[in-house]
Amino acid sequence: MIILLGLTIFFIFPFYWIASGSFKLQDVAITIPPEWWPTSPTLENYEKLFNPYTLRWFFNSVFISGMTTILVCSTAALAGYALAKKNFPGVQIIFMMFVAAMALPKQVILIPLLNLITEFNLMNTYYALILPAVGWPFGVFLMRQFSQGIPTELLESARIDGCGEFKTFTNIALPIIKPGIGALAIFTFIASWNDYFSQLIFSNTPDMATLPLGLAALAQGQEFSNDYGLLMAGASLASLPMIIVFICFQNYFTQGVTLGAVKG
């Protein structure tokens, strides 16, 4: 019990330090010995942080992550269902290709992907930040594992009753794999929100920057580059959506890691 309590404090303390530091002025934030609790809390850092660009950055992050999540869940659910419950030539080869693609780092496909985006004139647009993530191999793999648990008898009964392919999927398969879609939605939102690498490559103007890019700009030669209180306020804002998502849907995290991992 003591060990668990110590580990809990160890992992929670960085979040506490960032949150408390966001209410400290610059001279207090860098004081040694540190001020463990803000004795004179202030909202000045948040007043500096919330400018028109910051609101735009936050909107970009929410929009990109939200649209990516919707598209990934839609395509992965259909693809995973087809790979799990449809017998057609090459189904196992296609699935193995998705599994192999999971081990492929983004840096390997960066140059070809950048060439495609440039050729289609999508650079510095929402399309460039959303579309490359739609065919996420992990999403297809996860939904395929969940779809393996759909009883084949139910699908056959639906076809006997006259249901077409789309109606069979929406009325029979979709309710069964809904926990998997919920888990995939959380994984996708977090991955898209924190995808600093792609956002850095495919966007190059302030109005298309996301919140991680904007906060990085504050730390690299901008007016407030050395204002640690301001940076902590930005870090608190950036981590807030992830904390809310985890608290609200932590059960889906567990199901995504356990149920989906043992199907098949």
Side-chain angles (χ1 to χ4, degrees):
M1 184 64 183
I2 297 178
I3 296 177
L4 292 177
L5 181 60
L7 290 175
T8 301
I9 296 175
F10 177 78
F11 286 111
I12 291 179
F13 181 77
F15 296 100
Y16 162 76
W17 189 249
I18 292 175
S20 63
S22 66
F23 295 99
K24 301 175 184 178
L25 294 177
Q26 168 71 356
D27 55 345
V28 179
I30 61 176
T31 300
I32 298 178
E35 187 178 276
W36 299 106
W37 178 262
T39 56
S40 300
T42 178
L43 295 177
E44 183 176 335
N45 294 319
Y46 288 96
E47 293 174 356
K48 296 178 183 178
L49 180 65
F50 281 100
N51 56 69
Y53 269 134
T54 304
L55 297 177
R56 176 72 180 187
W57 297 338
F58 190 82
F59 169 79
N60 288 342
S61 290
V62 173
F63 178 77
I64 292 170
S65 300
M67 290 302 300
T68 301
T69 300
I70 294 173
L71 292 175
V72 167
C73 290
S74 300
T75 57
L78 292 170
Y81 170 74
L83 291 174
K85 291 301 177 180
K86 299 296 178 182
N87 292 320
F88 55 88
V91 59
Q92 292 299 327
I93 296 177
I94 295 175
F95 176 66
M96 293 306 299
M97 291 176 62
F98 275 102
V99 174
M102 292 173 58
L104 199 64
K106 285 187 176 182
Q107 292 80 357
V108 174
I109 63 173
L110 175 61
I111 300 301
L113 184 59
L114 184 60
N115 289 335
L116 283 175
I117 291 176
T118 303
E119 184 176 346
F120 286 101
N121 295 320
L122 298 178
M123 182 64 71
N124 204 45
T125 64
Y126 288 123
Y127 297 105
L129 298 171
I130 295 174
L131 293 181
V134 172
W136 193 21
F138 172 77
V140 177
F141 171 80
L142 182 64
M143 295 314 304
R144 191 258 187 186
Q145 300 304 94
F146 270 93
S147 297
Q148 289 278 27
I150 302 175
T152 304
E153 294 78 8
L154 288 179
L155 302 179
E156 294 175 349
S157 298
R159 297 189 185 97
I160 293 175
D161 291 338
C163 290
E165 289 295 339
F166 182 75
K167 194 172 183 180
T168 300
F169 174 77
T170 56
N171 292 353
I172 305 299
L174 191 59
I176 297 177
I177 65 175
K178 190 178 294 184
I181 296 176
L184 178 60
I186 297 171
F187 293 137
T188 305
F189 189 89
I190 293 176
S192 178
W193 185 276
N194 294 324
D195 190 10
Y196 178 86
F197 183 74
S198 297
Q199 297 163 6
L200 178 64
I201 299 299
F202 301 135
S203 63
N204 50 32
T205 58
D207 61 318
M208 283 302 301
T210 58
L211 193 59
L213 288 180
L215 294 178
L218 294 180
Q220 296 175 359
Q222 301 299 315
E223 182 180 355
F224 303 110
S225 60
N226 294 321
D227 194 334
Y228 294 103
L230 177 63
L231 294 178
M232 288 184 182
S236 299
L237 177 64
S239 62
L240 187 60
M242 297 298 95
I243 296 175
I244 293 175
V245 167
F246 180 79
I247 292 176
C248 294
F249 302 104
Q250 55 183 318
N251 290 334
Y252 282 129
F253 276 102
T254 305
Q255 292 183 25
V257 173
T258 56
L259 292 181
V262 298
K263 296 291 183 182

